[in-house]
């Protein structure tokens, strides 16, 4: 991040303070600190919502045991990969993983269609977003400072062994890798390739609905 920021500012005459402000602004676009109060309130509200939406929520014990066994692998971060059937998937999977003692995962969220208020709420619940400049540009263009901050952020998430949940699709378009998923997967691959972490465990998870809400 320092190399990219210094290289760009030398051509534009920016000082160190303005560089730091730009970096913090980009980081704030990506994530926000987790709020334990909001997590508890939303867990309570989600239970109420589930009781009104569904007759039952069933966990596959065999698959759950496989996930828990993967979580016990020492020194290797978990990256959960999931299809995306409904906008509820992120909240449901986060709630289920959290309730099984796996911590609060960082969940990739598509920023398009999110109001600023919803984006702020999801950020405090573990949602992470691509910086707006990266969302709007083709993947083959130079991502500059936002790309450097995002790559470093993903490396730190993996290095600290925070679970990462990547949705491979964006509803209602199913069975096709979304542009944002391609970006997140590339960042995970780059972190392993560059030696930021020795390895990652890719764990498939998912939700099936009798009727998609």
């Amino acid at each position: 991040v320092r190399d990219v920021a210094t290289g760009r500012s030398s051509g534009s005459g920016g000082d160190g303070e303005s560089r730091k402000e730009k970096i913090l602004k980009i980081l704030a676009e990506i994530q926000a600190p987790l709020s334990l109060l909001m997590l508890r309130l939303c867990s309570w509200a989600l239970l109420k919502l589930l009781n009104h939406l569904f007759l039952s929520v069933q966990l596959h014990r065999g698959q759950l045991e496989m996930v828990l066994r993967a979580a016990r692998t020492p020194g290797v971060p978990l990256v959960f990969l999931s299809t995306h059937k409904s906008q509820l998937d992120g909240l449901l999977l986060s709630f289920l993983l959290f309730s099984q003692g796996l911590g609060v995962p960082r969940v990739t969220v598509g920023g398009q269609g999110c109001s600023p208020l919803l984006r702020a709420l999801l950020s405090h619940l573990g949602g992470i977003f691509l910086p707006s400049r990266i969302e709007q540009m083709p993947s083959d263009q130079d991502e500059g400072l936002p790309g450097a901050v995002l790559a470093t952020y993903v490396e730190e998430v993996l290095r600290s062994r925070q679970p990462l949940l990547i949705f491979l699709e964006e509803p209602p378009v199913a069975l096709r890798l979304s542009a944002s998923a391609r970006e997140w997967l590339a960042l995970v691959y780059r972190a392993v390739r560059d030696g930021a972490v020795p390895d990652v465990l890719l764990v498939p998870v998912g939700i099936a609905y009798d009727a998609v809400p």
Side-chain angles (χ1 to χ4, degrees), residues 13-198:
D15 59 14
E17 195 64 32
S18 65
R19 288 200 302 269
K20 184 177 178 181
E21 288 175 4
K22 287 179 183 176
I23 290 168
L24 291 176
K25 185 177 178 181
I26 294 166
L27 187 60
E29 281 192 274
I30 298 170
Q31 61 105 51
L34 292 174
S35 168
L36 290 178
L37 176 62
M38 290 176 70
L39 283 166
R40 291 192 182 102
L41 284 173
C42 285
S43 293
W44 173 82
L46 187 58
L47 280 173
K48 298 289 185 185
L49 178 67
L50 292 178
N51 286 329
H52 283 86
L53 279 181
F54 305 115
L55 293 175
S56 65
V57 177
Q58 300 174 0
L59 283 174
H60 190 292
R61 288 293 171 189
Q63 293 175 355
L64 179 60
E65 179 55 37
M66 183 178 69
V67 171
L68 294 174
R69 192 164 62 245
R72 291 193 288 268
T73 305
V76 181
L78 292 178
V79 177
F80 297 106
L81 303 178
S82 178
T83 56
H84 208 175
K85 301 288 194 305
S86 158
Q87 298 295 352
L88 278 177
D89 289 358
L91 288 172
L92 275 170
L93 282 172
S94 294
F95 175 72
L96 292 172
L97 295 171
F98 180 61
S99 69
Q100 297 302 313
L102 295 175
V104 181
R106 289 293 185 172
V107 183
T108 62
V109 183
Q112 295 173 351
C114 270
S115 67
L117 186 61
L118 179 60
R119 186 169 179 142
L121 173 64
L122 293 176
S123 293
H124 285 294
L125 296 175
I128 56 175
F129 299 80
L130 294 174
S132 54
R133 182 179 160 190
I134 292 180
E135 277 191 319
Q136 295 162 5
M137 68 166 48
S139 58
D140 58 345
Q141 287 190 17
D142 175 26
E143 295 170 348
L145 189 57
V149 174
L150 181 63
T152 305
Y153 173 77
V154 171
E155 289 178 5
E156 289 302 318
V157 167
L158 296 175
R159 194 179 287 123
S160 61
R161 298 201 62 202
Q162 295 180 63
L164 178 63
L165 171 58
I166 298 175
F167 285 109
L168 302 177
E169 308 160 339
E170 283 299 328
V173 181
L175 302 178
R176 193 175 74 191
L177 190 65
S178 68
S180 61
R182 198 183 308 275
E183 187 73 37
W184 289 112
L185 290 170
L187 290 162
V188 172
Y189 167 74
R190 195 182 311 165
V192 177
R193 183 197 64 191
D194 295 346
V197 288

